[in-house]
Structures are given as structure tokens and as C-alpha cells.
Amino acid sequence: MVHLPILRAGRAYRSLSVTRVSHVQTGQPLGSVSQANRGLVAKDLLSAASNKRALEAYDVSELLEICKRAARLFMEADLPLDGDVQSPEDYGRQVSGTTGMPESLCRKNMDKIRLVSEEMEAVLDGLMHGLDLSVLDEGWKVQGERPLRYVCQTEALGAVLPSNSPGVHTLWMPAIPLKVPLVLKPGSEEPWTPFRIAQAFIAAGCPPEAFGVYPTDHTGAGELLLRCGRSLLFGGGPTVAPWEADLRVQIHGPGRSKIIIGADRVSAWEDGLDVMVASIVENGGRSCINASGLWTPGHGREIAGALAECLVQITARPLDDPEAQIAAFTRPEFARRLSGLIDSQLKVPGAEDLTAGLRGTDRVVEKAGCTFLNPTVIWCEDPEHPLANTEFLFPFVSVVEAPQEETLDRIGPSLVVTALTEDGELIDALLGSPDVERLNVGPIPTTHVSWDQPHEGNLFEHLYRQRALQWAKRA
């Protein structure tokens, strides 16, 4: 059984406290993971300033080359794993085994991580709004006749990470070329990806001081958030709620991403059916950018029925099946509890599960020793129904019919909105809405991310602030 150590400034440390991560199918341990207590996290953060100096010794151009080398190593190399090695194939099987994500989707997420690391210069260009990247080396830049000074607001970026999908780790990776060391708390079911990314970067020439990886409990996570000048926090509503008012913590909570069909396109809704299905199903429905709501001014039940016909074709398969599209739940009781919650809310008048009568099986299904939730389409006749604006950790969508002029007031905060419309007035309203984080206009799935634009929040603006600077001209 392999062991994942704590990484303290990039150096492996084996703790006396160890937990095990087990395969969702067999229940057999796949690995042991050293655990850090809050005292160790606090102690190591005392070295954050010196760790940052080690990273600042590199020019941004050197760090971007390291990112490119790390991309290849992450995807192709056998990398260190506490005295052993981990091949890319090992990594895929391990992530799949402890998270329930099909191996085919793990490989797609690996490629997403590779692409972001390889194209990091374009990612920084988007985060920094085209600012000359050399400002990261010099600290200031003259743009036109105006001197610009940017000040880093932290000695380390902390991150409390989820277990839902490996691709989410692309959000903290730009910290390395932004010259900010990382202090990472991996998800309890998915410690593999942060560790492998760190090893790939170190093997590519990144100073090891740039990486701290601390598997820990909620007290250790709290210590990280309290002591890091800037952090990222991933989690559900109850997890992120206590930190929402803390400006040092960038929240990555529920996405509640949506598709909105404009009145001008509703009669041709069939043209967008492939975009709708992709938005709901890609990556197993596990991402915050998966569409969980579809809002339309008409043809609601007809659209919901067509989606149901498509989604019932997607069935549970073994995790090593190359055609698998949905993920298993690591805790079968959690899957049953989610399904029970949906059924209890369906007792409220105004909503109907259109997939229930088509699939011929229960929503909860056992396959190859794993527990899955079948894709589910809810037709919400009542836009106030409790299922009209929610999301779950599997392919789930509520189709809601409401007048176009009411839609923006009803949908609430949405990480991604895909607008199937050419109506300029609706597009302007969406562009101006503070509730829409990312907007796709036209037939672009909510799951399609352009890496040269911020995905959720802006990491550069989270880490740096512009300082006023005036420079007297020499006589």
C-alpha cells in the first residue's frame, strides 16, 4: 500500500498520525495518508516569508518554462511517491478508486491540468488583463506615462480543496508563476492530485519551498485559513458560510450554473439540445460549472421531456469502462440520502421527475459493487418550487418556465450562465448582472472554459493590489 506524506516546503514528512483511503468498489485500502495537526500547519507557516523569497528568485519567464515542463511530467512521467514511484496509469486508477470518478474522466481531467500548465502564459495574460508579465519581476511598470506598482498581499496562498474533480486544481496552479508559495489542504478522498502536481513542478525545477501539502482535519484547515494572508476555500454552503465575510478568503461554493433560453430562440430550442446535454453531463455532472437549471419562457415541459429522453440513455457502468459517464458515490448512504431529499421535495406540488417513468429503475442504482445516482430531469411548473434552483453532485437539472423579464430576478447567483439568445436587451441585462460570474452567449456549454479568462474570481487580483505611485522627473 502506497503512502502519501505531508510535504513541508516540498520535503516529504511521515506523520505518526495516518489515515487510509479506500477503493469505493472493494473497500480495500489504496493508500495511507500522513496527517498534519494544526500546530504543524501553524509552525510551518512561520517560514512562509523565506519560502516566498525562494520563489521570487526566479524570473516569471523561468517559472513559465517550469510550468511547461511540469505539464509534460504530470501527464507522462513516473513521479516520486515517498520512496516509491507513481506512473500516470497508477494515478488515474488511484483517483478513480477513491473518488468514484470513472478512469476515462480522470484522464480527461489530467489533460485539462496539462493544458493549463502548458498554456500558463495565456492564463496569466487573462488574469492580469494583458499587463506586461515582467511587472512580477520588477514590481512596477510604466504604462504610457503612468507608473504602475503592484504589491503582493500575502506570503503564501492557502487552499482548502475538494474531492469532487481533479480539474478544479487548475484554479490554484497560477500561484506559482505569480510567485506565491502554496499551502494546500487536499480533499480527504482525493489527496493524489495536489501531491502529483507538486512533484511534477519540483521535478521540472520549481523550488520545493513553493509547495506545502498538509492533509489535515477541519481544525488544521481552519488554522490554514486564519494564518494565510490569502486563501481559497472550496465547499458546500455550510462549509463556506462562516468565511463569506472574510475578504482574505476567496469562496468557491455551490455553482448553480444555468442555461437561459431567450424568447427569440425558444421556438428553435431543439437546436441547442446538444449544448444542454453537454452542460448537464460532462465530467459526470460533478463540477460547479455543470448546468443544474434551465430557464425558458416557453416549451418548458417539451424541453424537459427531450432532455429526459437523452439522459436516460446514460447508465451506470464499471469505473474502468471507457464509456462510463457518471461517477460512483464514495458513501452509498449519502447517495440514498440525496435521492430521498429529491423525492421528499417532489411531494411539494409544482414539480415532476420526467426521468423516473423512462428509466425503468430507481434513481439509486448498484453496479459493479458501486452506488450511483442516475441522471435526473425535473420539470418545474412552479418557479418558486424548492427544486427550481438547486444542484446536486450528479447529472441533475431542473427545467423551469418563467417569463423572460422575470428570469434574472429569480435565478440568483450563478457561476456560469449560457444564454441561447440573440436578444440584445437580454444580453445587456446579463452582462450587467452582478449575479452572473461567467457568461457564455450562444451555443457554448456551461462546462466549456476559456483558460485565458478568470474562471471564478481572479487569482491575480486576490493576491496583488495596485499601489498609487508617483515618480518625480529628474531635472
mmCIF file of all heavy atoms in Angstrom, residues 167 186 245 342 431:
data_model
loop_
_atom_site.group_PDB
_atom_site.id
_atom_site.type_symbol
_atom_site.label_atom_id
_atom_site.label_comp_id
_atom_site.label_asym_id
_atom_site.label_seq_id
_atom_site.Cartn_x
_atom_site.Cartn_y
_atom_site.Cartn_z
ATOM 1 N N GLY A 167 -9.839 18.395 -12.027
ATOM 2 C CA GLY A 167 -9.673 19.610 -12.810
ATOM 3 C C GLY A 167 -9.752 20.883 -12.002
ATOM 4 O O GLY A 167 -9.231 21.925 -12.414
ATOM 5 N N PRO A 186 -5.490 18.987 0.984
ATOM 6 C CA PRO A 186 -6.213 18.184 -0.006
ATOM 7 C C PRO A 186 -7.562 17.711 0.526
ATOM 8 O O PRO A 186 -7.776 17.604 1.735
ATOM 9 C CB PRO A 186 -5.288 16.985 -0.250
ATOM 10 C CG PRO A 186 -3.985 17.342 0.354
ATOM 11 C CD PRO A 186 -4.274 18.324 1.445
ATOM 12 N N ALA A 245 -17.631 36.563 4.806
ATOM 13 C CA ALA A 245 -17.354 37.976 5.058
ATOM 14 C C ALA A 245 -15.860 38.271 5.192
ATOM 15 O O ALA A 245 -15.468 39.430 5.342
ATOM 16 C CB ALA A 245 -18.082 38.435 6.323
ATOM 17 N N ILE A 342 -34.566 14.550 -2.791
ATOM 18 C CA ILE A 342 -35.261 14.929 -4.030
ATOM 19 C C ILE A 342 -36.698 14.419 -3.996
ATOM 20 O O ILE A 342 -37.645 15.157 -4.313
ATOM 21 C CB ILE A 342 -34.494 14.378 -5.251
ATOM 22 C CG1 ILE A 342 -33.126 15.050 -5.374
ATOM 23 C CG2 ILE A 342 -35.309 14.589 -6.535
ATOM 24 C CD1 ILE A 342 -32.189 14.385 -6.362
ATOM 25 N N LEU A 431 -25.066 40.845 -19.068
ATOM 26 C CA LEU A 431 -23.743 41.460 -18.938
ATOM 27 C C LEU A 431 -23.657 42.360 -17.711
ATOM 28 O O LEU A 431 -22.619 42.464 -17.063
ATOM 29 C CB LEU A 431 -23.405 42.265 -20.196
ATOM 30 C CG LEU A 431 -23.037 41.465 -21.452
ATOM 31 C CD1 LEU A 431 -23.004 42.380 -22.674
ATOM 32 C CD2 LEU A 431 -21.678 40.784 -21.272
#
